[in-house]
Amino acid sequence: MRDGAKLIPSVTRVFRRDQTLIAYAEVYGPSTSSDHPKPSIAAAVGLYRAGRLVEESEPVLVEDDKGQRTGTVPVEIRVPLHSVPPGRYVAQFNVFDRIARSFAQRRANIVILP
């Protein structure tokens, strides 16, 4: 549950162009420092086809620690698919801990239908 809505993962990873792709992750144990007492997480989602970037979300900056679980930072990114041509893509979720200067990514194959 998030903001009164239940997020259900797409088991098939198939979407239509009239939908919005919602990518959600939780950063566990984000870094803080004496200069930055709260976490600072930057994230974005890119859609790749044949190794080329086709669409990229607006970057999201999360600078709080209001996760539902202690020691986590929730990151949610919305990617409208209306301008993405139908086809097979690799969706890449990039997360950067700005304080620790560490980076993580997760990739998943998706299909976008007309």
Side-chain angles (χ1 to χ4, degrees), residues 16 75 84:
R16 294 184 318 272
V75 179
V84 180

Side-chain angles (χ1 to χ4, degrees), residues 21-70:
L21 172 70
I22 300 173
Y24 177 82
E26 291 181 350
V27 177
Y28 292 87
S31 297
T32 58
S33 69
S34 58
D35 295 342
H36 297 90
K38 292 193 175 198
S40 183
I41 305 295
V45 171
L47 298 179
Y48 293 84
R49 188 173 189 179
R52 296 184 63 210
L53 181 63
V54 174
E55 184 75 25
E56 188 170 32
S57 71
E58 290 292 324
V60 171
L61 181 61
V62 182
E63 294 187 303
D64 64 36
D65 53 0
K66 294 185 170 88
Q68 291 180 339
R69 290 182 276 245
T70 302

Side-chain angles (χ1 to χ4, degrees), residues 11 26 34 41-42 44 51 65 69 71 75 81 83 87 90 100 105 107-108 110-111:
V11 177
E26 291 181 350
S34 58
I41 305 295
D65 53 0
R69 290 182 276 245
V75 179
L81 299 175
S83 64
V90 173
Q105 65 184 17
R107 293 180 180 157
I110 67 168
V111 174

